Amino acid sequence: MKCFDYTELPREQWVGGVGEVRDIVCWPEADDFVWRACFTSIHKNGVLGQFPAIERAIVLLKGKGLRLTRPGFLEHELVQKMSPFYFSGNTQGNVELLEGSVQCFNIMTRSPDWVSEISFVTDERQLPTSHSGVLYVLKGRWEITGTNNVQLAFGQGAWWLPDDMREGVIKPLVTDSQLLWVDLHPTE
């Protein structure tokens, strides 16, 4: 299991000051990933990048929301926090901010070979050993026990591959704790 802290992730600015991305992981490599997890901060209206053969999922973490558009293809307002929206990365579209900057969590998977499932967790869970995953602390403090023993607080998270994990449990240490949880696995 590889742990991360949002504040320590490398930050890449987009052209024209539209936004920035902080990659958590591009697996197996950035130029040819089968899945990617990252945070994006968007400060201005702009273009929604095209990622052929990629399925995308986006979760609004901060801000009032945004509108994703592509005439005849996509028209969606992302205004509800912690509600994943899944869409194809095959075509280029537009991003319009509804009221100021936003911060989002993104998962991209190579289609049709990989899929992602995003959920929100508030209770103890067994860490899966049969597939990859990403978790990010939204509230509270959490403890991972098993092969790795570590505590995570708001703004921290972890990711793993199937071979990384032999056993483990993650549990909240304080009431009202919440995780963003992503299961990633091949379709076969």
Side-chain angles (χ1 to χ4, degrees), residues 58 65-70 73-80 83-87 94-96 98:
I58 186 170
L66 54 98
R67 182 178 296 115
L68 305 171
T69 59
R70 166 71 192 210
F73 167 72
L74 175 68
E75 179 78 33
H76 182 77
E77 282 192 0
L78 187 63
V79 294
Q80 185 176 351
S83 181
F85 176 63
Y86 296 85
F87 63 102
N94 296 301
V95 175
E96 179 186 341
L98 299 179

Side-chain angles (χ1 to χ4, degrees), residues 150-167:
V150 66
Q151 288 189 11
L152 300 172
F154 170 75
Q156 297 177 321
W159 64 274
W160 63 91
L161 301 172
D163 295 340
D164 293 344
M165 201 64 89
R166 289 183 193 73
E167 63 181 21

Side-chain angles (χ1 to χ4, degrees), residues 95-106:
V95 175
E96 179 186 341
L97 298 172
L98 299 179
E99 192 179 315
S101 296
V102 297
Q103 182 189 62
C104 299
F105 177 84
N106 298 276

